[in-house]
Every structure is written in C-alpha cells, then in structure tokens.
Amino acid sequence: MSVIILLLGASLVVALFFLTAFIWSVKDGQYEDDYSPAHRILFEDKTDND
C-alpha cells in the first residue's frame, strides 16, 4: 500500500511540473502566433538577386 502512495505522490509532482511549464510557456508568449509560422514558407520573399 505504501508503494501506491509513493507512486501517487511522484505522479502528482511530475504533473505539477508539466502544468507549471505549460503555464510559464503560455505567459511567455510561446503560443501567440500559431497561424503564420506554418504558412510563412509559402509567402516568404526571395532574397536572391537573380
């Protein structure tokens, strides 16, 4: 029974770590521009002078 409590505590610590990392990345602006990076390559200006 003590192993289950130990694993439950460890899983809660890991879950809280990932939740904190996610909230930190959202506040840092990691997910602000989710449309243009996927389409930027289609409309990028050419820099070669041919």
Side-chain angles (χ1 to χ4, degrees):
M1 188 67 175
S2 63
V3 174
I4 293 174
I5 294 173
L6 179 68
L7 289 175
L8 185 62
S11 66
L12 286 175
V13 168
V14 171
L16 286 174
F17 170 74
F18 281 111
L19 180 65
T20 305
F22 176 72
I23 291 173
W24 180 32
S25 66
V26 168
K27 286 186 178 183
D28 197 36
Q30 184 73 24
Y31 300 108
E32 279 186 8
D33 190 12
D34 60 348
Y35 177 74
S36 68
H39 298 280
R40 187 177 301 153
I41 194 168
L42 298 174
F43 303 110
E44 191 169 331
D45 293 335
K46 291 186 178 182
T47 57
D48 296 334
N49 294 330
D50 290 335

